[in-house]
Structures are given as structure tokens and as C-alpha cells.
Amino acid sequence: MRRFLTIILSLVILSSTFLGTAYAEKVFRWSGSWGNTWDLSFHQGFIWVHMMGLTEGLIKWDKDMNPVKGMAESYTISKDGTVYTFKIRKDAKWSNGDKVTAYDFEYGIKYILSPKNGRGSFFGGAWYIKNAKDYANAVISDPNQVGIKVLDEYTIQFTLDGPHPDFLTTCALPTLYPMHRTSIEKLGNKAFDAGNLVTNGPYKLVGYTPNVEYILEKNPYYYDADKVEVDKIVGKLGGDPFLMYRRNEVDLINVGAAQLPVIEKDPILKKELITFPQSTVNLMYFSYFEHPAFDDRRVLTALQKAIDKEKICKFVYRGLAKPAYSVVTDLIPGSTANDPEVVEKFRFDPEAARKLLAEAGYPGGKGFPTVHFLIHSGQANDPLILAVKSEWEKNLGIKVIIDNYEQGVWSVKRFEIQSEPTFTFSGASYLYPDPAAPLTLNYAEGCLVASLKTKDLVEKVRLEKEQTEALKAGDEKKASELAKRIHNIIYTRSTPEARKILSLVQQAQRTTDPKKRLELYRQANKIRDINMYSSFPLVQPMSARLVKSNFEVPFNKYLVGFPVGFAYIRTK
Amino acid sequence: MEDKILISVKNLKKYFSRGKDIVHAVEDVSFNIRRGETLGLVGESGSGKSTVARLIIRLIDTDGGNIIFDGVDITTLSEKALKPFRRRMQIVFQDPASSLNPQMTVGTIIKEQFLIHKLGTKQEQEKWVEELLEKVGIDPSFKDAYPHEFSGGQQQRICIARAIALRSEFIICDEPLSSLDVSIQAQIIKLLEDLQKELGLTYLFISHDLAVVKHLSDSIAVMYLGKLVEFSNKKDLFSNPLHPYTITLLSSVPTIKGEEKEVELKGEPPSPINPPEGCPFNPRCPKKEDICERETPILEEICEGHFVACHIVQR
Amino acid sequence: MTQYIIKRIGWIIFNLLVLSLIAFILIKNVPGSFLELQILIGQAGTMGTGLTISEVEKVRGVETEMMKRWGEDVPLWQQYLTFIKGLVTLDMGPSFRWPTQTIEEIIANTFPVSFTIAILAVTIAIIIGIPLGVLAALKQNSWIDYLVSALVMVVSAIPNYVMAVFVIFLFSFWIPILPTYGWGQPKNYILPVLAMSFGPIGSIAGYMRTSLLDALKQDYIRTAWAKGGTERHVIFGHAMKNSLIPLVTILGPMISHLILGTVFVEGMFGVPGMGQYFSQAAGSRDYPLMMAQTVIFGLILMIMNLIVDIIYFFLDPRIRVSRR
């Protein structure tokens, strides 16, 4: 019986290896994920899109994430940096053989911007285009007012609302992608099914089973198809990645801190492990509540100085993270994350923290209000949150309560005004290496809000809720009056430092000289890092990946650690 | 005389294990039943009388003693060797509803035995079924009906028809009346009597109710806690009961309904797991003496054909 | 019988209406909305880019457009009627979470998969569970019985996702003959079906054991022995059929739960079934999918119960004849 089994087994194994070698095709399989549709206007998966290589923008990223010409053959930028004119390459083709034209870009960008499509929460570089934001938010309804102009079949021109040097790099992101008009107009939603989806990038979608896998194949019409080495990409959307990797069913997986000890012990896995920093900061920030203790800079400094980030990185993350002292990671140019002054101010020092807290009137945590951590079920097992709780309780003697809510309930609760001091936890990722990625004008305005005293912040939120009600009731007059009052609070009660940040960013956005621009952003970053207290940066996690040794995969540190593009994967 | 004895039970023993405990269900029970006669076996519930019935027809194996059926010791016969004897003895259970397979029509239930014992052709089998049903007073046209379509009394008639189907000589009736109404009880007793006369059947009639047994039996055995305490012909037992337990049982007979027995007897019967030392009846016996707690009395013949196991009476 | 089935189907429809109404009211009253959660997800990735939507912007632009598209700009009663209309005409529109798939497509694509897997798992469970239960019952209080009872307890207590890892280790590592993940080939069915069948094997074996022991205690079994029947005759002719009847009652709910409650196994092996769609529906406030899920679950459960009752009808003369 045993003999018989052995024979059967070896036959099975032999036949499978035979089948495996019968194809000369190069296949790269990875354990990935994907949003729930291939309609880019629902870009729930926007951060993956460049990697997939399905659709290509005017600009693409090379394997080191430098913006290089993609669909564009050449481009010109006006002197004031507000008008971009792109010439589209003549040999650009869609996966069905159609030529890629300027009209496809106009159609695609407006399709994604349209409030009727998708769900608009992130519009990347598209929001730099004149009137684009108002159109996306249905403030204006005429798409022709958006600053996109087709000059001829192969020439497209964008008019921006100011000089945005990072516009070029955002052209590689999906909000500025072309779309294949005829197939979408003909097939409607079915145009986004595997087999129907028409793409212009190095790959095309040939198979998709929701929750199971997707299959991409080389697009033979791609102008640079010769340089694409891997013929077929298989993304597996479920399963236990580590088991699948060890069974040789996938070539790339993400690994977490928990798997590190196993990998360390295995000589082969150890060689295949790749770790690299990631442009993400895990942080915690205030909710809306009123308490004088949290207007006191000494208290806020004490709270930050009481967290031993080194220890957390070592034990919670097993070395797969480093302490963060800025909400902007050191991978972004102009970041002051490693500025000695910033680090020194918030460095772990329980003695100093206790002293600051005592000076503020809470010796040994006496009389300090109970702090709540408002978390959702997805964070319930996050050791970082538990670590912060225990650090504060141990080092400052204050009491922390964790309130765990279902995600949907949490999404409402966190916008409510809390009766006791409350923090929520989140991560901030920056999508491309430009100082403007984190420091937009919106964000600078956010800094003003962040510098408000807690009671002013609560008042602002109350007024906003009233404004929402007024708008729902159709009372435009009341709404605009409330808007004025809100504006007043933000601009008169915020700190001078915050207003300085705003003016620096405004200045930077008008500056075309790269060196000057970078310096302005650096100054803004430093002021924020030293003076902003509404969010506490905690750690900057690192990515860990296992890659089979026969593949060479360039990783993107800015897109939560996925490959820059499947088209750049090389076999060894 | 000996040749008239159809079934003889000698020192029958049966123990059950309940976890670590051993239940003395049947302890040294011996009796004979003559052909064509009826032995009434009386006792409270838990006294082991139903176990005796199951031992005799070999539904369960004995732990000691012998069962001699028509001169053959069937105690340890294999199921195969037993098969001819199975034809000759049958049993009627207490609850007719549960002793008829709800999945089968009554015709099939009766016919099944002919199939098992390979008797007759198909037509003959059908004919026999109809005859049998008629004999027990059921309209033969109902042979394709299911058991639940009949009343309790009718179901018991079907059980009886099934029991006599193979022309068995020996029928054990294990409390066949206790689940039936009083008015129907009388009809079933009548049926059993008629059948006995007509077919010359031998009955072992088990009941907790002396009144019922009195009517049917030729001789009566009284069981208490797995042991036989008194054995006699009917006349002697009723006119001259000797064992104190029999006396208390009899004192409640005229009221017919068994409920008042409990009033007459002190306390509950002791557990068969830990039977009392000496005479098993001693904790409840009105005439108890010291010896009763020390020695277990043996069944002895006091006068012609009248056996009693009691120290007091034997003196 | 036909009349009875028609009556039952009438009840099913009525129950579904009540069920969907209750579900609708509950679902619409839970805090949080799809949009709110989408903004949350968007923010998690872009915080710091400042590209978040404030309350005011939501009301002014995106939210109203979204609500219009999802039919949420009309009063609740009208939304409910729209849902019922969609249900009747089998045109329930797109899911929120899977915007390019309609509810009907999702169900049409996934139900056959879930159903096949569930039926296969139950079939295996029956093939293995019944003999195990019978064996345990026949050898009551022997080591076989104790072994089976212990096995029953273990497999019923271990959740199927643990079993999933166990079968992966067994058939993908120790005896490496099967892939851990994938769909499309017959061999892909083996592991998920196996992982899912352990629990049912346990409950079926346990049920079978109790039920057969119960049947064996019946007087008609003693009668059958007294008739001179052989062991085979008594057990298979009399006891088995009766002990199968209670077993049928647990099969209905068992199959319905396997059809819908296989999220972990689906995720683990890459089975494109309903479980994963539905498990994510509530968490993301995908109202159309949540409603469809409620109705489907109710429908499957009620249909299974109807089928069970019909089987019962044929198995048990006590029911069949009294309705004659």
C-alpha cells in the first residue's frame, strides 16, 4: 500500500513539474489585494494602480520613482508654472489596437472628476487643475470650465490654479489617467469586467474572480512591450500568504513582525527577506472635546515625552519601525523628522515628562482627567495602542480607557463632540517624494485648526454642524453667515505659528525655484513639528517582504511598499 | 408431570453495571411453567420481572443459571441455533405504540416473521396475515394501515396477532395492559384467554397488579428486588399468602387501582445497586426481626407447591 | 400535499416580507454610512495630504450626488418599496461596495459555488458521519464508542478555519499533493470541502449515535429480535430508518449555514462564494447587499426547512398518513 502510494505521489509530482515546465511563459504570482472594481473612478485602489501597469498616464514613474515620460512624447511648462502642454506619442495604443488620443485623457480625467461617477475622496494632482475641485464637489456643473483643453488629437493642455511643480509626478497617478471612451459608452459597467477592460499600459486584465484572484497579461500593443519581462501577473486575493509562499504558490508576500522569528530561523527565507522604510507615520490625534489641560503646552509635551518609542519599535514591531517625531516622514524632501531640535523636544524622558505635568498642576497625574482612546474593531488588537496606554499609565500616573466601536459606528463617533478628552489613532502615508505631498494649502489651513484651543475647536465644530443643517434645509443665507463665523474663529484664534506655516506654504506654492521652494517647505515643517500638538507622531513602520530569489522587484516606498510597477520586475 | 413442564428457569442471574456500581437485577430466580398454563409474575417496578422476561426469550444474556425450554437448555445457544426456538416463544410488550415499528404497515410487521423464518408463499403469507388479524378482532382490510392509525387497544391486538403468528407455544406478556384503559384491559384479557383455550398457549404474564394476574394465572410468583419471595398456585396464594410482602400487596387488591399499594408499604423499595443486608424486604417489613438483617432467606417449600423466602414464615 | 406546499410557499413569502422590513428598519438605524466609511478609508491613506472632505463639502457636493445615485435621496418608505420592487423584478441594482456588479450578478455568480461546496461537504459528512455514529451506537461503551465520541467532540469544537490550516498542513506540506489556494480545477474543491465537512461530520456522527441508541431502546427493536431477526435485519431494517428521521431535521439548517457561513474557508482557499461578499457587507454599510443577504439567508433557511419537511413527509408515515 505504501509503495503504491509512493508511486502515485511521484506520478502526481512528476506530471505537475512537467506541466510547469511545458510553458516558457514567465509568471509572477503575488499575494496582493485589490479594490472591488476596475472602474478607476472608484479608485478605492488608487495606490495600487501605478503598480498594476494597466493604465498609463502622460507621465510614469521609473523603477526608482522618478517621473519620466509615459504616454507623453514631450511636454512644455509655461514660465509661471501654471500651464502644462503635453504631446502624446504617436505609437501609443490601447490594448484593442485603438490609438491613444488627447480626447481619451480629457474623457478619463473628467469621468473621474465627475461627481456622478466614483466617490471622490482623493483627487491627487487633478485638484491642481483650475476649477476641478469645484466641479468634483458639484459646486459648478459645467465640465468645460475645468482647465483641460484638447489642442489637437495628440496635444492636451492643463491650466492649473497656481504653480505646482509636483503636478508632473501626480500625472503618474490614476486621477490623471485616460479612459477608453467607446468601450465605456457602449458597455457601461460591463466595460470594467475582465476581458472587456481596455487598457493602454504594459498589461491588460484577462481574468478576475472577486475575492480570489486576478490575472494580467502583457499588452502586445504597448509601445515599450519589449522591455516588459514578465508575461503574466497573478494576484491572489486571499489565503494564508505565508503558507502559500512556503508552498511555492506565490513569489511575493508581505510579512509582519509576528513572522520574523520564523524567517530568522530559516536560512533560505532569511535570504529572501527584504525590508525597507515606508513613507507612513502611525499617529494619534485629538478628537473634539473641551478641557483646559489640553490647551497647556507643558501637558502636551509631557504626554509625548512619556512614550518610549524606541522600546515600542524594538518589542512591538520587532525592529520593523523607527520612532517618529514628525507627522511627515524623512522620506519626503524638506522633512524635519530628524532635526535635532525636534527630536530633543519630544524625546522619551519620563523624568522630564513628570516634571512638566507637575508644573502644569497635575503632580503624579493627580487631578488629571481620564483619557479615552476611541478605536474601531480593526484596531482592537493593535499592540501600539496598548503600548501607549501602558506608557502613559506607568510614566505619568494618568488613567486611560479604551473605547472600542464597530468601524461604521466609529466613523460617526469620531466626529462627535466628546465629553472627556479623547484620542483616535490613524496612519498618514505620503504618496510621492515631493515636499508638497504632505504640505498642501488645505493642510496648512488644517494647521490653523489644529492650533486652536480645545474650546474654540468645539465651538467651530458646533457651528459647522449648524451650517450643515442649514444647508440641508436650504437656508443659504444662514449657512454663509455661519461660514463667516467659522472662518473668523480659524483665523483670529489660531496661534501666530500656525499662521506663519500658512504663509510659508502659500509662498512655497508660488515659488518655482526648486531650492527656495524646498527651503520654504522645510521651515514650515519645522515650525509645525515643534509647535503643533493636536497629533502625536508615534512610529514610522517599515515594510518587510519575502521575494523568491529568482525575481528582482523594485519597491515603492511611497505606496505602502508595493512594487513600483510589474513592468519593472526582472527575473534572475 | 415433568413432561408437562414447557419452560423451566433455574437460578437465573442478571447483573447490570451502572458505571462503577453493579445492579443486581435478577438474583437466583427459579420457576417452572407447565404447558398450557399461565404463570403470573408480580412485583413492583424495578423488581426485575421484565428482565426475567427478556432473559427467558434471550433478548439479553444471562449471568448465571439456566433456561430450559421444552427440555432443551437454551441459555447459551448461539443466535443461529436459537432460531427454531425463537419461533416457539414470543413476547408482547407493555407499550403497543412503541413495539410496532412506525415505518411499517401492520401487515408487514406480521408478515416479516414469515420472511425471517422462510415460511409460506407470498399468497399464503398474505392469507395468514388476514387470518391473524381477524383472529385478534381487527378488520383484515386494515393490513396496509400504519400502527399510529389504530387505537391503543387495537395496537395491542396487533402485537398479540404478531406474537401468535408463528404458532408459538409460549407467549410472554410483559405488562400488556398497563398502558391501556380499564375497559380495554378487560377486552384484551378476554382475547388472551380465548387464544389460550383455542391454541393451547402457555403464558408468562407479568404485571405489577395482582388483580389482573389473579384472573388469568394458574400459579403466581412474587418478585421483590430481583428475588423470588413467594411462589404458589393461585388458590393458595390468595387464600393463604405467607410472605409479608405478598400480604401487603394483597391487602390493596380489592381496590383494583394499584395506587394504594404505596400507602400500605412503608417507604420506597431500596435501590437494587446496594440491596440491604439479609432479607431484601427487611427495611419495609412490618414483622422484621434481627435475623432478617443478617441472613438472606432462601426460597423453601412450606407446604405442597407453596414456596416462600422468609425467616419468620419458615420458622 | 401540493396544497400544503403552496400554503408553505405563501408563508415563506409573507415571512420574507416581514423579515426584510425588520431588517430594513434595523439597517437604516445603525450609525455610520457607506460614504462615511469610504471617506475614512480614503483618509487612512492620504492623511496629511489634506485632501479630506469636510462635513460641509459632503453635503454640498459629493454626498447628494452619491445619495441620488444610490436612491437614498427619497423617504425611507419609498426606498423600501424600491427594494421590494427590485426583489420581485430581480433588478436590485449595484452593490455599494462592488459598484460595477449588481446584486443579482453577485448572487448568480457566487450562489452556485457556495451551494456546491456546502452540498459536497454535507455529502462527505453524511458518508463518514453516519457510519461512525452507527458504529459508536452499536459498540456502545466500548473503546470504539469512546474514540468516536471524543472525535465528535474535537471536530465539533474546532472552528473550520483551524481545520483549514490543518488540512493545508496535511495535504500541502506533509503529503504535498494539493495546492493550498486557487479555484477552477476539481482539485481545488478538495481542501475547502474537507475543511468544511469536519464540523458536520462531528454533529452527524453524534446525532446518529444518539438517535440510533434511542431507536435501539424502542420496544419494536426488541420485538424484531424476538421475531428471530438477524443483527443486520434488526439494525438496518428497523432501527436505521427510524433513527435517520431526526437526522434529516438538522440537515436543513446545516446546509443553509454552510452555504452562508464559510467566510474563513472561502478566504483561506480562494473559494469565490457568497460568504466573503456578505461578511463584508455589514461592516461597510453596503445597504443593498445587506438587504439581499438577509433575504437570501431567510429564503435558504425556509426553503431548506420546507425540503426537510417534504422529506420528513416521505420518511415518516405518522406525518404522511395523518395528512392523507
Side-chain angles (χ1 to χ4, degrees):
Chain A
M1 186 63 192
R2 208 192 154 90
R3 224 185 125 92
F4 174 73
L5 265 180
T6 325
I7 292 168
I8 293 286
L9 277 184
S10 32
L11 273 178
V12 169
I13 293 162
L14 265 178
S15 61
S16 58
T17 43
F18 172 73
L19 283 174
T21 50
Y23 296 99
E25 211 180 34
K26 282 181 186 161
V27 183
F28 179 76
R29 306 151 306 168
W30 78 303
S31 176
S33 45
W34 178 247
N36 303 325
T37 170
W38 299 88
D39 177 353
L40 297 183
S41 67
F42 291 91
H43 38 82
Q44 284 162 308
F46 64 90
I47 47 178
W48 291 276
V49 177
H50 186 274
M51 163 189 72
M52 304 295 281
L54 286 171
T55 314
E56 188 171 287
L58 294 159
I59 297 296
K60 65 181 178 183
W61 289 329
D62 70 5
K63 69 181 176 56
D64 304 312
M65 283 199 70
N66 301 309
V68 296
K69 279 169 266 179
M71 285 291 129
E73 184 182 72
S74 63
Y75 57 87
T76 53
I77 307 170
S78 68
K79 257 206 188 109
D80 63 352
T82 58
V83 180
Y84 283 68
T85 313
F86 292 92
K87 279 248 176 246
I88 294 161
R89 51 194 315 149
K90 303 278 184 310
D91 56 352
K93 291 255 173 67
W94 289 97
S95 57
N96 64 351
D98 291 357
K99 54 189 177 187
V100 179
T101 67
Y103 296 106
D104 293 325
F105 277 91
E106 187 196 16
Y107 176 74
I109 296 164
K110 285 182 180 171
Y111 181 95
I112 292 171
L113 279 176
S114 167
K116 288 188 174 58
N117 300 318
R119 73 179 154 81
S121 75
F122 172 71
F123 287 103
W127 268 8
Y128 291 151
I129 300 171
K130 210 171 160 187
N131 289 332
K133 194 172 164 185
D134 282 347
Y135 175 59
N137 283 337
V139 177
I140 57 168
S141 56
D142 181 11
N144 294 325
Q145 282 178 268
V146 179
I148 304 171
K149 211 160 136 195
V150 176
L151 301 180
D152 63 52
E153 205 177 3
Y154 291 101
T155 316
I156 190 163
Q157 195 177 67
F158 299 101
T159 311
L160 310 187
D161 60 4
H164 292 283
D166 54 325
F167 180 71
L168 210 56
T169 197
T170 61
C171 280
L173 283 170
T175 53
L176 291 167
Y177 279 180
M179 284 175 110
H180 190 258
R181 184 176 196 151
T182 37
S183 66
I184 292 168
E185 283 179 349
K186 197 172 130 204
L187 298 170
N189 273 343
K190 296 279 146 280
F192 305 104
D193 287 352
N196 295 344
L197 187 72
V198 182
T199 61
N200 67 333
Y203 288 99
K204 58 181 181 175
L205 179 70
V206 297
Y208 174 52
T209 315
N211 295 321
V212 180
E213 65 177 12
Y214 60 79
I215 300 164
L216 313 180
E217 263 172 26
K218 239 169 104 164
N219 173 10
Y221 289 104
Y222 184 59
Y223 62 88
D224 227 1
D226 296 347
K227 295 203 183 114
V228 179
E229 203 180 323
V230 178
D231 303 293
K232 193 173 172 184
I233 305 286
V234 180
K236 305 200 176 186
L237 305 172
D240 183 312
F242 202 40
L243 286 181
M244 285 156 79
Y245 186 83
R246 296 220 276 181
R247 177 90 171 86
N248 213 2
E249 288 175 18
V250 284
D251 304 304
L252 163 65
I253 59 164
N254 295 359
V255 287
Q259 283 137 349
L260 283 185
V262 185
I263 295 168
E264 293 291 331
K265 268 183 227 146
D266 186 316
I268 296 171
L269 291 181
K270 203 176 163 186
K271 262 213 245 143
E272 292 172 345
L273 180 70
I274 295 173
T275 59
F276 52 91
Q278 204 182 306
S279 144
T280 297
V281 175
N282 289 344
L283 41 83
M284 58 194 294
Y285 51 93
F286 286 8
S287 282
Y288 311 131
F289 60 87
E290 227 181 297
H291 200 289
F294 289 82
D295 294 329
D296 190 327
R297 294 280 169 107
R298 289 170 299 190
V299 170
L300 299 175
T301 314
L303 286 173
Q304 294 210 53
K305 284 182 88 71
I307 303 169
D308 190 349
K309 296 171 187 169
E310 297 277 354
K311 197 175 81 188
I312 291 173
C313 289
K314 196 171 164 195
F315 293 105
V316 173
Y317 289 87
R318 290 180 206 264
L320 275 185
K322 61 179 202 172
Y325 297 99
S326 165
V327 291
V328 176
T329 70
D330 53 6
L331 289 169
I332 301 293
S335 160
T336 49
N338 298 325
D339 188 296
E341 207 182 321
V342 174
V343 174
E344 183 48 39
K345 184 159 185 190
F346 299 110
R347 196 175 46 81
F348 175 62
D349 186 345
E351 208 50 56
R354 277 191 289 270
K355 219 177 121 206
L356 281 167
L357 201 63
E359 280 171 21
Y362 306 102
K366 249 181 227 107
F368 198 80
T370 303
V371 176
H372 291 257
F373 287 175
L374 185 68
I375 66 165
H376 60 74
S377 37
Q379 299 173 321
N381 295 319
D382 189 343
L384 175 65
I385 293 170
L386 297 174
V388 172
K389 172 180 152 81
S390 90
E391 288 288 287
W392 280 2
E393 289 182 337
K394 189 181 71 193
N395 297 333
L396 296 177
I398 63 177
K399 196 166 181 252
V400 177
I401 293 176
I402 294 181
D403 301 323
N404 184 359
Y405 290 97
E406 188 268 343
Q407 193 148 320
V409 178
W410 180 83
S411 73
V412 175
K413 277 241 182 262
R414 71 192 181 122
F415 286 124
E416 285 170 2
I417 293 164
Q418 317 287 334
S419 56
E420 291 194 351
T422 303
F423 284 83
T424 49
F425 289 77
S426 182
S429 297
Y430 307 99
L431 303 183
Y432 50 91
D434 186 277
L439 270 179
T440 63
L441 207 57
N442 268 37
Y443 183 79
E445 274 173 350
C447 286
L448 294 180
V449 175
S451 73
L452 291 175
K453 295 221 181 305
T454 51
K455 79 169 181 2
D456 295 331
L457 188 62
V458 167
E459 193 186 336
K460 170 191 166 266
V461 173
R462 288 224 169 88
L463 290 176
E464 272 176 355
K465 290 207 193 287
E466 269 179 57
Q467 190 193 7
T468 308
E469 289 308 311
L471 278 172
K472 270 185 187 155
D475 192 346
E476 284 287 340
K477 206 176 134 209
K478 193 181 173 198
S480 66
E481 192 188 307
L482 284 162
K484 233 175 261 162
R485 281 171 66 189
I486 294 165
H487 187 270
N488 231 12
I489 292 176
I490 296 175
Y491 282 86
T492 58
R493 301 194 204 164
S494 51
T495 59
E497 293 93 5
R499 268 169 284 178
K500 174 82 179 156
I501 294 170
L502 180 63
S503 79
L504 282 169
V505 171
Q506 280 168 336
Q507 221 178 312
Q509 289 195 343
R510 284 191 301 268
T511 308
T512 40
D513 177 53
K515 258 197 193 142
K516 263 193 211 151
R517 177 172 174 264
L518 185 64
E519 179 51 29
L520 286 167
Y521 275 120
R522 208 194 57 76
Q523 284 175 21
N525 271 324
K526 185 159 177 183
I527 295 173
R528 191 216 36 235
D529 285 346
I530 286 189
N531 295 297
M532 283 302 129
Y533 293 98
S534 72
S535 42
F536 299 175
L538 297 170
V539 297
Q540 180 182 347
M542 285 173 82
S543 297
R545 306 282 180 261
L546 279 173
V547 189
K548 291 284 175 199
S549 53
N550 52 330
F551 286 103
E552 202 181 282
V553 184
F555 284 104
N556 179 343
K557 292 162 195 160
Y558 300 87
L559 301 185
V560 289
F562 286 121
V564 178
F566 290 135
Y568 303 133
I569 294 176
R570 295 286 170 265
T571 55
K572 285 193 255 184
Chain B
M1 175 120 170
E2 275 301 309
D3 65 330
K4 277 188 79 187
I5 289 175
L6 178 65
I7 189 141
S8 169
V9 167
K10 283 181 188 142
N11 302 329
L12 210 54
K13 286 188 182 70
K14 182 68 191 175
Y15 310 124
F16 294 116
S17 54
R18 288 271 177 283
K20 279 177 197 163
D21 301 315
I22 288 173
V23 183
H24 297 250
V26 175
E27 186 87 69
D28 264 331
V29 168
S30 310
F31 55 75
N32 301 329
I33 311 173
R34 292 197 198 95
R35 201 183 284 277
E37 288 195 352
T38 302
L39 171 68
L41 185 59
V42 184
E44 285 169 289
S45 58
S47 62
K49 51 194 196 305
S50 287
T51 311
V52 170
R54 276 160 216 179
L55 287 169
I56 293 175
I57 59 164
R58 289 283 314 276
L59 282 180
I60 47 180
D61 288 329
T62 58
D63 291 323
N66 300 86
I67 304 150
I68 293 149
F69 185 84
D70 204 10
V72 180
D73 189 339
I74 62 164
T75 324
T76 52
L77 286 186
S78 71
E79 194 58 44
K80 207 176 154 194
L82 197 64
K83 209 168 170 184
F85 293 96
R86 287 244 182 263
R87 272 186 66 180
R88 299 175 62 186
M89 44 188 192
Q90 282 301 329
I91 186 163
V92 176
F93 288 106
Q94 173 175 353
D95 180 9
S98 78
S99 51
L100 297 168
N101 189 338
Q103 294 287 336
M104 296 181 170
T105 63
V106 297
T108 319
I109 290 172
I110 296 171
K111 199 162 59 186
E112 193 188 17
Q113 304 169 92
F114 304 139
L115 298 171
I116 291 171
H117 294 282
K118 300 192 179 74
L119 299 173
T121 63
K122 251 189 188 157
Q123 288 84 349
E124 278 175 321
Q125 289 173 354
E126 290 298 326
K127 207 182 89 203
W128 291 338
V129 167
E130 285 169 23
E131 282 170 6
L132 281 162
L133 286 175
E134 197 151 15
K135 195 169 272 175
V136 297
I138 302 281
D139 186 339
S141 63
F142 285 136
K143 67 175 179 183
D144 290 328
Y146 285 91
H148 71 274
E149 294 174 89
F150 295 92
S151 71
Q154 287 172 318
Q155 287 174 342
Q156 198 58 293
R157 284 168 189 271
I158 293 161
C159 288
I160 293 167
R162 189 207 59 73
I164 61 172
L166 295 170
R167 295 171 195 276
S168 306
E169 306 139 77
F170 177 53
I171 310 283
I172 297 175
C173 304
D174 187 1
E175 305 232 26
L177 308 176
S178 55
S179 66
L180 303 176
D181 286 348
V182 181
S183 57
I184 295 168
Q185 285 184 1
Q187 293 174 17
I188 298 292
I189 291 175
K190 178 86 178 20
L191 175 67
L192 288 170
E193 278 178 336
D194 291 350
L195 290 172
Q196 187 168 37
K197 257 181 239 157
E198 188 187 338
L199 305 169
L201 298 174
T202 307
Y203 288 144
L204 171 62
F205 196 95
I206 294 169
S207 177
H208 60 268
D209 190 347
L210 265 174
V212 172
V213 179
K214 182 180 181 183
H215 197 82
L216 269 168
S217 310
D218 297 296
S219 47
I220 288 170
V222 180
M223 268 187 94
Y224 186 78
L225 222 60
K227 291 196 177 72
L228 226 50
V229 293
E230 189 162 0
F231 178 79
S232 154
N233 64 47
K234 178 168 71 180
K235 214 179 103 227
D236 281 355
L237 190 104
F238 277 89
S239 58
N240 182 25
L242 293 173
H243 196 281
Y245 178 60
T246 318
I247 295 167
T248 47
L249 277 183
L250 275 174
S251 66
S252 63
V253 165
T255 62
I256 298 256
K257 291 216 167 177
E259 291 142 14
E260 275 152 69
K261 276 188 296 186
E262 301 298 325
V263 184
E264 296 292 321
L265 279 170
K266 286 185 291 181
E268 293 289 309
S271 153
I273 293 170
N274 293 306
E277 286 282 303
C279 174
F281 190 57
N282 83 62
R284 299 163 89 192
C285 185
K287 297 175 183 167
K288 186 180 82 176
E289 287 180 12
D290 284 352
I291 184 172
C292 302
E293 289 186 11
R294 276 181 280 116
E295 285 174 37
T296 312
I298 334 161
L299 200 65
E300 272 179 24
E301 195 164 11
I302 300 294
C303 41
E304 163 84 69
H306 198 147
F307 298 80
V308 177
C310 177
H311 293 301
I312 320 279
V313 177
Q314 283 164 9
R315 247 188 350 234
Chain C
M1 183 67 188
T2 328
Q3 212 183 349
Y4 169 73
I5 292 175
I6 290 170
K7 214 168 103 189
R8 280 286 296 270
I9 290 173
W11 268 109
I12 288 180
I13 293 169
F14 175 75
N15 284 341
L16 278 182
L17 281 177
V18 175
L19 176 74
S20 63
L21 185 60
I22 295 172
F24 186 81
I25 293 168
L26 289 177
I27 286 169
K28 289 285 178 178
N29 278 297
V30 173
S33 69
F34 182 71
L35 186 70
E36 212 93 41
L37 279 159
Q38 290 315 299
I39 289 168
L40 168 85
I41 293 165
Q43 237 177 16
T46 58
M47 233 216 78
T49 55
L51 297 166
T52 58
I53 294 181
S54 79
E55 282 279 314
V56 179
E57 283 168 332
K58 249 165 50 191
V59 175
R60 190 165 260 156
V62 184
E63 193 171 70
T64 36
E65 281 296 335
M66 296 281 115
M67 285 173 76
K68 217 182 280 170
R69 198 171 70 205
W70 293 330
E72 294 198 325
D73 54 342
V74 294
L76 280 182
W77 63 269
Q78 217 170 318
Q79 291 178 33
Y80 179 70
L81 288 186
T82 313
F83 165 76
I84 292 294
K85 194 181 149 213
L87 192 65
V88 173
T89 56
L90 290 181
D91 176 19
M92 288 182 272
S95 145
F96 288 2
R97 202 164 176 275
W98 304 85
T100 44
Q101 290 183 66
T102 62
I103 303 290
E104 309 85 74
E105 279 170 352
I106 290 175
I107 291 168
N109 288 336
T110 56
F111 179 78
V113 174
S114 292
F115 186 74
T116 315
I117 291 268
I119 292 291
L120 285 175
V122 169
T123 310
I124 287 188
I126 288 173
I127 292 172
I128 297 175
I130 289 186
L132 274 185
V134 170
L135 202 65
L138 294 185
K139 308 275 176 199
Q140 199 196 0
N141 297 329
S142 72
W143 65 269
I144 296 179
D145 184 22
Y146 295 139
L147 191 75
V148 171
S149 302
L151 221 71
V152 164
M153 216 144 67
V154 169
V155 295
S156 324
I158 296 178
N160 57 17
Y161 51 90
V162 176
M163 278 302 173
V165 176
F166 171 71
V167 294
I168 285 178
F169 267 107
L170 194 61
F171 292 109
S172 296
F173 286 90
W174 295 328
I175 315 168
I177 48 173
L178 290 171
T180 68
Y181 189 86
W183 196 245
Q185 289 167 288
K187 66 178 176 187
N188 293 131
Y189 281 77
I190 300 172
L191 292 187
V193 166
L194 215 55
M196 274 166 59
S197 62
F198 278 107
I201 287 176
S203 39
I204 287 179
Y207 243 86
M208 192 63 215
R209 178 182 174 274
T210 329
S211 160
L212 186 57
L213 279 178
D214 198 51
L216 285 173
K217 276 190 205 113
Q218 298 295 316
D219 279 339
Y220 61 82
I221 296 300
R222 294 203 187 103
T223 312
W225 283 115
K227 282 174 175 175
T230 58
E231 190 163 359
R232 223 179 80 194
H233 170 83
V234 172
I235 289 157
F236 294 99
H238 288 262
M240 274 292 275
K241 203 173 167 197
N242 280 296
S243 58
L244 282 176
I245 294 174
L247 198 65
V248 171
T249 22
I250 64 160
L251 285 184
M254 187 184 275
I255 294 174
S256 3
H257 282 277
L258 284 180
I259 290 174
L260 290 141
T262 55
V263 192
F264 292 109
V265 172
E266 280 180 16
M268 193 62 141
F269 296 105
V271 178
M274 291 200 288
Q276 293 202 78
Y277 277 98
F278 285 162
S279 73
Q280 299 154 347
S284 58
R285 303 287 189 272
D286 186 343
Y287 300 135
L289 200 54
M290 281 164 90
M291 285 303 291
Q293 171 180 20
T294 313
V295 170
I296 285 269
F297 192 85
L299 190 65
I300 290 176
L301 199 66
M302 285 189 274
I303 286 180
M304 280 300 159
N305 281 338
L306 178 61
I307 291 173
V308 162
D309 285 353
I310 293 170
I311 294 174
Y312 230 99
F313 184 87
F314 286 106
L315 275 185
D316 195 341
R318 278 171 292 192
I319 295 173
R320 178 172 8 134
V321 179
S322 58
R323 292 227 176 86
R324 193 157 62 180

